[in-house]
Amino acid sequence: MQEKIIRKNHNIILENRKSLSISGITDVDSFDEREICLFTELGELTIRGRELHIDSMSVESGDMTITGDIWSLVYGDKERRGPVSALGRLFR
């Protein structure tokens, strides 16, 4: 029996470097007010800035909104590495 892997779209909308909407999130690795590390359908994504705050997060849809002073968005490896975080287990 074959399992179907359903991939969701991954989109990012950055408004005035103050508000960020992300879809296609599969896991959240870590977060604090200066850095949020997460995994998307297209790989690892690190968001850096100041006074970062996760305003909303949907486990079912994989959507997240972040506010704060956003300085950078950096993609990393497409493959997941390391153990899954406790918060990340919520996205499964």
Side-chain angles (χ1 to χ4, degrees), residues 18 28 30 36 84 90:
K18 298 288 182 195
V28 176
S30 64
I36 300 172
V84 176
L90 291 174

Side-chain angles (χ1 to χ4, degrees), residues 18-71:
K18 298 288 182 195
S19 177
L20 181 66
S21 299
I22 308 170
S23 64
I25 296 172
T26 58
D27 190 12
V28 176
D29 187 40
S30 64
F31 63 94
D32 61 30
E33 65 181 25
R34 292 194 150 284
E35 183 176 86
I36 300 172
C37 298
L38 48 86
F39 292 92
T40 71
E41 293 290 338
L42 297 179
E44 183 180 10
L45 176 62
T46 302
I47 300 142
R48 290 188 180 98
R50 183 178 52 195
E51 297 177 8
L52 298 178
H53 184 263
I54 297 174
D55 289 335
S56 67
M57 180 167 52
S58 172
V59 175
E60 292 83 27
S61 66
D63 295 338
M64 179 183 284
T65 58
I66 299 168
T67 56
D69 191 12
I70 299 165
W71 297 343

Side-chain angles (χ1 to χ4, degrees), residues 72-88:
S72 72
L73 305 169
V74 179
Y75 279 97
D77 291 340
K78 285 191 176 185
E79 299 299 320
R80 171 188 303 279
R81 292 186 182 164
V84 176
S85 67
L87 182 61

